[in-house]
Amino acid sequence: VPRVKAGTTRRARHKAVLATTKGHRAARSSRYRVAKESMLHALDYATRHRKLKKRQNRALAITRINAAAREHGLSYSSLINGLKKAEITLDRKSLADLSIRQPSAFAKVVASAKAEL
Amino acid sequence: MASKLSHSIGTHTRLWYLIDARHQVVGRLASMVALLLQGKNKPIYHPSVDTGDHVVVINTGHAVLTGSKWDKKLYRHHTGYPGGLKEIVAKQLHQKNPTMILRRAVNGMLPKNLQRKHRMRRLHLYPDSAHSHALNITHQLPGPCPVFKTLSDYSSEEITSFPDIVTRISHL
């Protein structure tokens, strides 16, 4: 194979990696060899945490619904049981939002659940 | 339409709770106090923000440990030196400092993160009924354990008018 110089391709490859590491600390955003590792970790974390975000948000909503339900004398488990029996299909995100921003509406939802228990 | 009209000045402030620990089981009380210190009783709870409240517990000297824990429960720590395992029984620790048992219980029930120190600073324990936070207290909460009345809590009229069960049964 005849000799092939890198030419301009190496600079282009490196620039592409450095473009993804904008905002990384110290050499991780300026030196290619360190930036490449930083980029690989960042992409890995991003992929993993896109899935984790959904889990964490659901857990937070459940904690909030638990707190709000206990203000009305019910536990989270009893509330969900009552809602299933009342065929109310509000998801945990909506329930948590109601409990913070529309507590009067949440109180009515709890009352419907209590009626079925 | 989602709004914050329902939020009052009390929604986002730190409240001050007063709890009487007399006749309350230590572990059960500590569990309840830990939840209040974290703010997990609030629908606005978020782990990144410290939504906890202040908790003042009085009469910690009169809290209850069930079974033979006063004689058998050991509190251990290691000083770091060889052979430096120190053990102290609950009874002796209580005599040394009547707030320590409840403080250690709550400390162990809080999540072990950087907020634990700040939350413990919001826990105010007093061995007797005297406390210096009377101006701050917003709510008084009952403890988790039901407090039963002793004979001295009944008036003499109630005692004399109580139906005489014992002699009636011995009739049969």
Side-chain angles (χ1 to χ4, degrees), chain A residues 60 64 67 71 100-103, chain B residues 1 3 6-7 40 43 45:
Chain A
L60 179 63
R64 288 177 159 171
E71 282 177 0
I100 297 177
R101 301 219 167 81
Q102 306 266 43
Chain B
M1 187 64 191
S3 75
S6 55
H7 291 191
K40 281 195 129 177
Y45 169 78

Side-chain angles (χ1 to χ4, degrees), chain B residues 153-164:
Chain B
D153 292 331
Y154 287 97
S155 64
S156 51
E157 301 92 50
E158 283 173 313
I159 293 173
T160 48
S161 65
F162 198 81
D164 193 14

Side-chain angles (χ1 to χ4, degrees), chain B residues 98-167:
Chain B
T99 64
M100 274 315 291
I101 291 185
L102 198 55
R103 191 179 302 278
R104 284 182 83 135
V106 175
N107 197 38
M109 293 189 186
L110 289 173
K112 318 292 180 287
N113 55 23
L114 292 173
Q115 291 187 3
R116 183 162 74 149
K117 198 194 297 189
H118 302 291
R119 287 168 171 158
M120 285 303 291
R121 258 191 231 136
R122 287 186 208 116
L123 176 64
H124 312 278
L125 298 173
Y126 295 93
D128 297 313
S129 345
H131 66 96
S132 49
H133 307 284
L135 293 174
N136 286 341
I137 302 291
T138 57
H139 299 84
Q140 174 146 16
L141 295 178
C145 308
V147 180
F148 302 109
K149 290 166 90 168
T150 59
L151 195 61
S152 51
D153 292 331
Y154 287 97
S155 64
S156 51
E157 301 92 50
E158 283 173 313
I159 293 173
T160 48
S161 65
F162 198 81
D164 193 14
I165 307 169
V166 178
T167 51

